[in-house]
Amino acid sequence: MSKRGPKTEAGKAVSKMNAVKTGAHVKGLLPSENARQLAIDCRRLHEQWSGPDPTSQALVNQLHSFQVRIDRLERYEFEFVTTRMRGHGARADFCRDAGIDPARASDMPNWIFDDSLPGREEAQGLLAHRSELINRVKFCRTILHNPRKLRKELEEMISLGKEFRISIERRIRKAILDEAGNFTPDMYLRCFEEEYIFELFWAGDPQRCDAIVSGIRAGVMLEAQSNETLCRMRAWVFKQQLQHIAVLKQLKLERTKEIFIE
């Protein structure tokens, strides 16, 4: 019978930390670690604490291994937050806070959560294009009695959107006609706003959008930092570090006394 994993939230929380249990204590290098930098860090610790005796040298090596574990735990927290921020849950939370249907979460562009990705300039352009469309829709309402002129105006509206994303053209062309077969100028604008709902929301109020993202990220970071398994591991490593440093200080003090007596 195949295992399906934990069912409870507590069990899932522990299961999510399995990678930490093996990653923080693994012997040797992880793919993200630099052997040369680790050697430099270890040498600096030896320069600070180590003496000629094997005991202090062994303690310093262990102290360095504890620091490596701390670095791995911190790296895990960063990767945990990054993964969660890219997941569907964070996007759904954004939609709820922004007043957008959470069913659209999968349509959300990645650049809203990642400043390094392009997309903001295009969003500003879409907002400017929307303003132009609003003016054109208002004009269309004044020529509803002239189907030919209205059709020409709507075709021009569609052609203006090609510079952004041509994939919505068919959808918009289909929506231009209502069930009665009459032109409805507002449909084009509505389709445009639905297609680019996230871009227009960000461009309309970047500060509010960034505040929502920051709030979601803070919640994810708190979740990572308050994880019981992670907290226990971090506390144990810190305790070991302090104990080793205390012993090394005592050994260093004894060496100093011996030199003074001599």
Side-chain angles (χ1 to χ4, degrees):
M1 184 175 179
S2 61
K3 295 182 179 180
R4 297 183 180 275
K7 301 296 183 183
T8 64
E9 291 301 320
K12 292 178 182 178
V14 173
S15 178
K16 286 191 298 186
M17 301 302 294
N18 285 340
V20 177
K21 294 177 183 177
T22 58
H25 298 286
V26 68
K27 295 181 180 179
L29 292 175
L30 295 179
S32 58
E33 293 173 340
N34 185 296
R36 183 173 179 274
Q37 184 59 50
L38 290 177
I40 292 174
D41 295 339
C42 187
R43 186 176 69 250
R44 288 174 178 172
L45 284 175
H46 275 280
E47 292 172 354
Q48 181 179 2
W49 295 108
S50 186
D53 57 294
T55 300
S56 63
Q57 293 179 10
L59 287 170
V60 172
N61 287 335
Q62 290 179 344
L63 183 64
H64 178 255
S65 71
F66 292 136
Q67 184 56 53
V68 171
R69 294 178 188 181
I70 289 293
D71 293 341
R72 288 174 178 177
L73 292 176
E74 291 178 351
R75 190 179 304 113
Y76 164 79
E77 286 186 9
F78 174 79
E79 293 175 353
F80 176 86
V81 172
T82 301
T83 301
R84 288 294 298 274
M85 291 298 291
R86 292 174 179 171
H88 182 81
R91 294 168 184 264
D93 290 341
F94 178 91
C95 290
R96 282 188 286 269
D97 292 343
I100 299 173
D101 184 359
R104 296 289 307 274
S106 59
D107 298 329
M108 182 175 154
N110 293 328
W111 58 261
I112 290 182
F113 276 171
D114 190 344
D115 295 341
S116 64
L117 298 177
R120 285 164 174 74
E121 291 185 6
E122 180 186 14
Q124 294 290 358
L126 288 166
L127 185 64
H129 182 59
R130 177 178 177 272
S131 299
E132 183 176 356
L133 290 180
I134 291 175
N135 292 330
R136 284 180 172 270
V137 167
K138 290 179 180 178
F139 174 71
C140 286
R141 291 170 184 163
T142 66
I143 56 173
L144 291 175
H145 62 282
N146 191 331
R148 287 187 178 180
K149 191 173 183 180
L150 179 61
R151 180 184 292 274
K152 182 179 180 181
E153 183 67 20
L154 289 170
E155 292 291 340
E156 290 181 3
M157 289 170 62
I158 293 174
S159 65
L160 286 173
K162 288 182 178 180
E163 62 180 285
F164 298 109
R165 197 177 299 165
I166 200 170
S167 61
I168 66 171
E169 184 175 351
R170 292 182 180 177
R171 173 185 170 187
I172 293 175
R173 285 183 181 276
K174 184 177 180 181
I176 285 176
L177 295 176
D178 61 16
E179 294 180 357
N182 298 318
F183 282 112
T184 53
D186 296 82
M187 279 190 172
Y188 178 88
L189 179 61
R190 186 163 63 250
C191 286
F192 181 83
E193 292 174 337
E194 290 176 356
E195 179 72 14
Y196 298 108
I197 187 170
F198 292 102
E199 289 87 347
L200 295 174
F201 175 79
W202 181 89
D205 195 346
Q207 291 183 343
R208 182 189 173 194
C209 185
D210 291 343
I212 293 174
V213 173
S214 296
I216 295 172
R217 182 176 286 108
V220 174
M221 291 177 65
L222 181 62
E223 179 184 353
Q225 294 171 358
S226 61
N227 184 279
E228 183 178 351
T229 304
L230 187 63
C231 288
R232 284 202 307 267
M233 293 183 64
R234 187 186 291 109
W236 180 84
V237 174
F238 278 137
K239 181 180 179 180
Q240 295 297 317
Q241 280 185 310
L242 292 175
Q243 290 177 348
H244 280 64
I245 289 175
V247 175
L248 286 167
K249 283 183 176 180
Q250 184 63 33
L251 291 173
K252 194 172 185 179
L253 179 60
E254 292 176 359
R255 289 196 302 271
T256 304
K257 290 181 179 179
E258 291 175 357
I259 295 174
F260 180 76
I261 293 174
E262 294 176 357

